[in-house]
PDB file of all heavy atoms in Angstrom:
ATOM      1  N   GLY B1495     -13.550  43.341  -3.593  1.00  0.00           N
ATOM      2  CA  GLY B1495     -13.165  42.207  -4.415  1.00  0.00           C
ATOM      3  C   GLY B1495     -11.886  42.332  -5.184  1.00  0.00           C
ATOM      4  O   GLY B1495     -11.585  41.485  -6.014  1.00  0.00           O
ATOM      5  N   ASP B1496     -11.062  43.375  -4.887  1.00  0.00           N
ATOM      6  CA  ASP B1496      -9.797  43.517  -5.624  1.00  0.00           C
ATOM      7  C   ASP B1496      -8.899  42.279  -5.465  1.00  0.00           C
ATOM      8  O   ASP B1496      -8.310  41.804  -6.404  1.00  0.00           O
ATOM      9  CB  ASP B1496      -9.025  44.751  -5.110  1.00  0.00           C
ATOM     10  CG  ASP B1496      -9.720  46.049  -5.444  1.00  0.00           C
ATOM     11  OD1 ASP B1496     -10.595  46.036  -6.369  1.00  0.00           O
ATOM     12  OD2 ASP B1496      -9.435  47.060  -4.811  1.00  0.00           O
ATOM     13  N   HIS B1497      -8.832  41.791  -4.253  1.00  0.00           N
ATOM     14  CA  HIS B1497      -7.987  40.616  -4.007  1.00  0.00           C
ATOM     15  C   HIS B1497      -8.584  39.358  -4.676  1.00  0.00           C
ATOM     16  O   HIS B1497      -7.856  38.565  -5.254  1.00  0.00           O
ATOM     17  CB  HIS B1497      -7.796  40.358  -2.498  1.00  0.00           C
ATOM     18  CG  HIS B1497      -6.935  41.371  -1.833  1.00  0.00           C
ATOM     19  ND1 HIS B1497      -5.796  41.874  -2.393  1.00  0.00           N
ATOM     20  CD2 HIS B1497      -7.017  41.966  -0.620  1.00  0.00           C
ATOM     21  CE1 HIS B1497      -5.220  42.733  -1.571  1.00  0.00           C
ATOM     22  NE2 HIS B1497      -5.947  42.804  -0.480  1.00  0.00           N
ATOM     23  N   CYS B1498      -9.926  39.200  -4.593  1.00  0.00           N
ATOM     24  CA  CYS B1498     -10.551  38.030  -5.215  1.00  0.00           C
ATOM     25  C   CYS B1498     -10.245  37.960  -6.705  1.00  0.00           C
ATOM     26  O   CYS B1498      -9.935  36.904  -7.244  1.00  0.00           O
ATOM     27  CB  CYS B1498     -12.051  38.060  -4.968  1.00  0.00           C
ATOM     28  SG  CYS B1498     -12.534  37.683  -3.287  1.00  0.00           S
ATOM     29  N   ALA B1499     -10.344  39.132  -7.355  1.00  0.00           N
ATOM     30  CA  ALA B1499     -10.056  39.152  -8.789  1.00  0.00           C
ATOM     31  C   ALA B1499      -8.569  38.783  -9.046  1.00  0.00           C
ATOM     32  O   ALA B1499      -8.277  38.049 -10.011  1.00  0.00           O
ATOM     33  CB  ALA B1499     -10.328  40.559  -9.355  1.00  0.00           C
ATOM     34  N   GLU B1500      -7.714  39.217  -8.169  1.00  0.00           N
ATOM     35  CA  GLU B1500      -6.273  38.867  -8.333  1.00  0.00           C
ATOM     36  C   GLU B1500      -6.051  37.362  -8.127  1.00  0.00           C
ATOM     37  O   GLU B1500      -5.269  36.754  -8.858  1.00  0.00           O
ATOM     38  CB  GLU B1500      -5.458  39.686  -7.315  1.00  0.00           C
ATOM     39  CG  GLU B1500      -3.984  39.373  -7.258  1.00  0.00           C
ATOM     40  CD  GLU B1500      -3.221  39.707  -8.537  1.00  0.00           C
ATOM     41  OE1 GLU B1500      -3.713  40.515  -9.331  1.00  0.00           O
ATOM     42  OE2 GLU B1500      -2.137  39.116  -8.759  1.00  0.00           O
ATOM     43  N   PHE B1501      -6.754  36.782  -7.177  1.00  0.00           N
ATOM     44  CA  PHE B1501      -6.609  35.308  -6.958  1.00  0.00           C
ATOM     45  C   PHE B1501      -7.051  34.537  -8.217  1.00  0.00           C
ATOM     46  O   PHE B1501      -6.429  33.550  -8.609  1.00  0.00           O
ATOM     47  CB  PHE B1501      -7.430  34.836  -5.749  1.00  0.00           C
ATOM     48  CG  PHE B1501      -7.115  35.568  -4.468  1.00  0.00           C
ATOM     49  CD1 PHE B1501      -8.084  35.747  -3.507  1.00  0.00           C
ATOM     50  CD2 PHE B1501      -5.828  36.075  -4.211  1.00  0.00           C
ATOM     51  CE1 PHE B1501      -7.794  36.397  -2.301  1.00  0.00           C
ATOM     52  CE2 PHE B1501      -5.554  36.747  -3.040  1.00  0.00           C
ATOM     53  CZ  PHE B1501      -6.525  36.908  -2.088  1.00  0.00           C
ATOM     54  N   ALA B1502      -8.149  35.007  -8.848  1.00  0.00           N
ATOM     55  CA  ALA B1502      -8.630  34.373 -10.082  1.00  0.00           C
ATOM     56  C   ALA B1502      -7.576  34.544 -11.203  1.00  0.00           C
ATOM     57  O   ALA B1502      -7.271  33.605 -11.918  1.00  0.00           O
ATOM     58  CB  ALA B1502      -9.958  34.960 -10.487  1.00  0.00           C
ATOM     59  N   ARG B1503      -7.015  35.782 -11.320  1.00  0.00           N
ATOM     60  CA  ARG B1503      -5.995  35.988 -12.328  1.00  0.00           C
ATOM     61  C   ARG B1503      -4.766  35.070 -12.116  1.00  0.00           C
ATOM     62  O   ARG B1503      -4.108  34.689 -13.058  1.00  0.00           O
ATOM     63  CB  ARG B1503      -5.483  37.461 -12.265  1.00  0.00           C
ATOM     64  CG  ARG B1503      -6.277  38.439 -13.108  1.00  0.00           C
ATOM     65  CD  ARG B1503      -5.583  39.795 -13.245  1.00  0.00           C
ATOM     66  NE  ARG B1503      -5.452  40.487 -11.958  1.00  0.00           N
ATOM     67  CZ  ARG B1503      -6.398  41.259 -11.445  1.00  0.00           C
ATOM     68  NH1 ARG B1503      -7.547  41.433 -12.028  1.00  0.00           N
ATOM     69  NH2 ARG B1503      -6.204  41.844 -10.276  1.00  0.00           N
ATOM     70  N   ARG B1504      -4.502  34.752 -10.846  1.00  0.00           N
ATOM     71  CA  ARG B1504      -3.379  33.875 -10.552  1.00  0.00           C
ATOM     72  C   ARG B1504      -3.721  32.387 -10.689  1.00  0.00           C
ATOM     73  O   ARG B1504      -2.931  31.528 -10.310  1.00  0.00           O
ATOM     74  CB  ARG B1504      -2.861  34.114  -9.113  1.00  0.00           C
ATOM     75  CG  ARG B1504      -2.192  35.502  -8.972  1.00  0.00           C
ATOM     76  CD  ARG B1504      -1.680  35.726  -7.555  1.00  0.00           C
ATOM     77  NE  ARG B1504      -0.955  36.997  -7.467  1.00  0.00           N
ATOM     78  CZ  ARG B1504       0.085  37.218  -6.657  1.00  0.00           C
ATOM     79  NH1 ARG B1504       0.531  36.257  -5.898  1.00  0.00           N
ATOM     80  NH2 ARG B1504       0.648  38.398  -6.635  1.00  0.00           N
ATOM     81  N   GLY B1505      -4.905  32.104 -11.201  1.00  0.00           N
ATOM     82  CA  GLY B1505      -5.190  30.722 -11.568  1.00  0.00           C
ATOM     83  C   GLY B1505      -6.057  29.930 -10.609  1.00  0.00           C
ATOM     84  O   GLY B1505      -6.232  28.725 -10.799  1.00  0.00           O
ATOM     85  N   ALA B1506      -6.567  30.570  -9.557  1.00  0.00           N
ATOM     86  CA  ALA B1506      -7.405  29.836  -8.600  1.00  0.00           C
ATOM     87  C   ALA B1506      -8.608  29.264  -9.372  1.00  0.00           C
ATOM     88  O   ALA B1506      -9.177  29.951 -10.228  1.00  0.00           O
ATOM     89  CB  ALA B1506      -7.881  30.738  -7.480  1.00  0.00           C
TER      90      ALA B1506
END
Side-chain angles (χ1 to χ4, degrees):
Chain B
D1496 293 341
H1497 288 321
C1498 287
E1500 175 65 20
F1501 304 149
R1503 272 192 295 276
R1504 291 181 177 213

